[in-house]
Amino acid sequence: MTASNTVRVRFPPSPTGLLHVGGLRSALFNWLFARHHGGAFVLRIEDTDRARYCPEALPDLLDSLRWMGLDWDEGPDIGGEYGPYFQSERLDLYKQHARQLVDEGSAYYCFCSPERLAQVRQEQMKRKEDPRYDRLCRDLDPAVASDRVAHGEPAVVRLKMPLTGQTTFHDLIRGDITVENSTQDDAVLLKTDGFPTYHLANVVDDHLMEITHIMRAQEWIPTAPRHVQLYQALGWQMPAIAHLPVVLAPSGRGKVGKRKQVIAGGRALPVHVRDFRAAGYLPEAMFNFLALVGWSYDGHTEFMTRKEIIDRFSIERINPAPAAFDYDKLDHFNGVYIRQLSPDDLTDRLMPILEQAGIDADREMMRRIIPLIQERLKRLVDVPGLVDFFFVEELPDYDPALLVPKKMSAAETRPLLTEARTLLAKITPFVSDSLERSLRALAEARGVKAGQFFTPIRVAVCGRTVAPPLFGTLEVLGREQVLGRVDLALDKIASLAAHS
Ligand code: GLU
């Protein structure tokens, strides 16, 4: 490819809030397309809506993209040949093009007050018409209008949409889309405060930044006809365009990005990228999972490396139908990716999460716990609740009744646990294999089911009934800790037996 036809795509978020997974999916598809073609991925900040500006948004955006490994070739922090990459620093460009459009008769000044517009709107709604600007200023004498502007009268610039005919554009995913021009509004391009609207800024920047392909959310389809008209009016070739399928919340109702969180099955589920990160989803799992939200390689291959996804990505295989964001599937992907991590890598990722949960975990010990939990782990954030009991000198108080297995009494349990204690004091080496062998043999000798026999031991050392595999747990805790905890359990069970 020569420089002039190198693929250039952009991700142009508006910094109005935290990045959600729908936005991340748009970024990912653009990034994949750029990397597939050896092109450029441009990050542009569309910060022209001052009223909705959120200072937290930009750092959150950059962190989120970096977390997933979506690097940009040009952008606000690193600059590039086509900068600046903040729209708020490009206002002169927009004004200049707005003026050009007015001079050439493709746009016009509109002096209507917000009050008048509201009234027009209200009347249209009453008549059950689509609310739309009634074009009062469209036919003003341009010289008179320019004069009023020159005298300081506040005005917006509006696009002069053709009143008849049709506008057609080709969507790379959806094919040709045609609208009747008579259904279109004369959209505002430049506001009274001198800031452009999305339409003008987006078109001017995509052109000046030599963007070759636009891949944006489906919700923007209705704006495309006016963008087509803008490109035509400015005498520019429009980039190829594709509208990505919406990302639906798991209920199938509504877009995922319109909420702070999704409630499903009684669970509050994250929506913002930062919350997925905090919940311990692995970026590599999210990358693979998200690539399949609206795109597929062959309809069935699910697990692919980053490189495979880049090699295989194509716009043709993006499905126009709305795509569900399936949290259960993400959990499954996360589990698979967690199992692929080396124990050392997993330990490294867990240490900060444990610290955050207020657990003073010894790294070496955590490294030894990994084989006990790695297999069943779905989210890193579940780990503190699984391993906290390893890292305490004394177990938090637990209900003594938990020590008593089903279909047994405290009086029956007590001698069994006493015998187990005697054995635990002796077994050498104190490792999982020999612990298992000896304890199973004892259960059998006493004619007690293994499950019943192990319950009091498990509760004694973990303080609960559901815990990582018992023998490995005993090994990691070590004989001294185990005996101390069993002694405590024996005290508890003694008082329980005395009271029953
Ligand atoms: N600023 C727009 C947004 O945040 C960009 C849409 C687009 O053209 O990709 O949704």
Side-chain angles (χ1 to χ4, degrees):
M1 271 191 192
T2 62
S4 60
N5 63 6
T6 299
V7 162
R8 288 176 58 80
V9 293
R10 81 304 192 266
F11 179 54
S14 306
T16 52
L18 302 176
L19 185 66
H20 58 74
V21 275
L24 186 63
R25 200 278 315 262
S26 294
L28 173 62
F29 280 19
N30 279 282
W31 183 90
L32 285 169
F33 188 70
R35 294 295 170 259
H36 178 89
H37 289 285
F41 177 64
V42 178
L43 184 59
R44 181 173 78 220
I45 307 303
E46 302 207 326
D47 57 346
T48 57
D49 189 343
R50 302 321 276 178
R52 293 178 61 216
Y53 182 78
C54 159
E56 245 188 311
L58 183 62
D60 173 73
L61 167 79
L62 302 185
D63 280 355
S64 300
L65 295 178
R66 285 193 189 110
W67 173 70
M68 270 253 298
L70 305 185
D71 56 332
W72 48 98
D73 304 294
E74 299 163 31
D77 54 336
I78 52 171
E81 268 180 60
Y82 298 81
Y85 294 88
F86 284 104
Q87 288 190 325
S88 59
E89 294 172 13
R90 303 169 63 84
L91 299 183
D92 283 348
L93 284 170
Y94 311 130
K95 278 186 202 151
Q96 193 184 310
H97 286 95
R99 204 170 311 125
Q100 181 190 333
L101 287 164
V102 172
D103 289 348
E104 292 171 356
S106 308
Y108 60 93
Y109 291 116
C110 166
F111 303 92
C112 292
S113 65
E115 294 73 31
R116 172 168 195 277
L117 295 176
Q119 196 192 340
V120 168
R121 212 181 150 80
Q122 231 174 21
E123 282 163 14
Q124 287 168 332
M125 307 247 277
K126 240 188 263 164
R127 293 196 299 267
K128 303 232 173 340
E129 292 170 11
D130 285 342
R132 192 177 336 157
Y133 178 53
D134 66 356
R135 299 187 160 124
L136 180 70
C137 295
R138 183 169 165 133
D139 299 320
L140 290 177
D141 179 338
V144 174
S146 295
D147 212 42
R148 284 169 70 176
V149 171
H151 282 87
E153 198 174 330
V156 301
V157 173
R158 285 185 186 271
L159 175 66
K160 211 182 243 181
M161 263 314 271
L163 300 176
T164 56
Q166 298 176 324
T167 301
T168 297
F169 66 95
H170 181 74
D171 183 300
L172 294 176
I173 302 173
R174 294 154 206 276
D176 284 351
I177 297 180
T178 299
V179 299
E180 294 295 329
N181 292 334
S182 60
T183 63
Q184 300 293 302
D185 204 353
D186 283 356
V188 173
L189 302 176
L190 199 68
K191 297 178 276 186
T192 43
D193 61 4
F195 276 74
T197 58
Y198 164 69
H199 312 295
L200 179 65
N202 197 266
V203 165
V204 166
D205 286 350
D206 283 348
H207 175 74
L208 296 182
M209 294 184 178
E210 296 190 31
I211 297 304
T212 58
H213 296 75
I214 296 171
M215 257 179 274
R216 57 179 191 174
Q218 178 180 344
E219 68 197 75
W220 295 111
I221 290 179
T223 69
R226 65 182 65 138
H227 293 193
V228 171
Q229 291 295 337
L230 269 174
Y231 279 102
Q232 270 173 19
L234 290 162
W236 295 339
Q237 195 195 335
M238 185 165 168
I241 190 162
H243 290 94
L244 303 175
V246 289
V247 181
L248 294 179
S251 59
R253 272 179 275 127
K255 283 186 284 191
V256 81
K258 287 283 174 242
R259 315 178 175 195
K260 285 211 171 59
Q261 53 178 212
V262 167
I263 308 285
R267 255 210 307 165
L269 302 167
V271 163
H272 294 129
V273 179
R274 112 168 18 165
D275 295 334
F276 284 94
R277 189 176 170 181
Y281 286 97
L282 305 189
E284 46 274 62
M286 183 61 109
F287 185 101
N288 189 162
F289 167 81
L290 217 47
L292 298 173
V293 176
W295 174 81
S296 78
Y297 169 50
D298 54 9
H300 55 86
T301 305
E302 300 230 287
F303 291 97
M304 292 176 266
T305 63
R306 205 176 165 86
K307 178 163 186 322
E308 281 167 342
I309 297 173
I310 294 172
D311 289 348
R312 295 169 180 179
F313 188 79
S314 71
I315 293 186
E316 291 75 55
R317 292 216 47 99
I318 297 175
N319 187 338
F325 189 96
D326 182 344
Y327 284 81
D328 292 333
K329 180 169 165 180
L330 174 60
D331 280 355
H332 172 63
F333 269 58
N334 207 44
V336 169
Y337 275 89
I338 286 175
R339 288 197 281 286
Q340 286 174 4
L341 294 179
S342 74
D344 272 316
D345 190 350
L346 182 52
T347 309
D348 287 341
R349 299 195 201 212
L350 288 175
M351 292 308 286
I353 294 181
L354 293 171
E355 193 185 318
Q356 237 171 27
I359 296 175
D360 183 15
D362 172 62
R363 189 185 185 285
E364 183 44 35
M365 182 140 162
M366 191 57 221
R367 166 70 186 73
R368 292 177 61 213
I369 295 169
I370 295 294
L372 304 177
I373 59 167
Q374 185 162 13
E375 209 46 42
R376 275 179 287 168
L377 204 55
K378 292 222 170 86
R379 300 180 316 153
L380 300 188
V381 78
D382 297 332
V383 168
L386 272 180
V387 303
D388 50 357
F389 68 89
F390 280 102
F391 301 105
V392 288
E393 265 316 303
E394 221 169 284
L395 282 183
D397 205 21
Y398 57 89
D399 178 2
L402 294 177
L403 291 160
V404 182
K406 282 199 189 95
K407 298 188 190 148
M408 277 178 85
S409 67
E412 288 168 315
T413 309
R414 192 176 165 198
L416 288 177
L417 189 56
T418 309
E419 274 202 274
R421 195 224 182 261
T422 310
L423 198 61
L424 287 165
K426 279 201 304 227
I427 300 171
T428 311
F430 199 81
V431 296
S432 168
D433 284 357
S434 40
L435 287 162
E436 177 163 11
R437 221 176 310 116
S438 312
L439 289 167
R440 279 191 193 282
L442 180 57
E444 205 172 317
R446 296 294 167 266
V448 184
K449 282 202 191 117
Q452 285 186 308
F453 186 68
F454 297 150
T455 295
I457 307 175
R458 174 176 298 112
V459 174
V461 296
C462 309
R464 55 181 170 249
T465 48
V466 181
L470 180 60
F471 309 106
T473 299
L474 296 175
E475 176 181 330
V476 172
L477 273 173
R479 193 190 313 269
E480 200 185 319
Q481 268 291 333
V482 168
L483 292 180
R485 293 181 187 197
V486 171
D487 286 341
L488 212 78
L490 281 168
D491 289 348
K492 281 178 182 270
I493 217 166
S495 61
L496 201 62
H499 288 102
S500 61

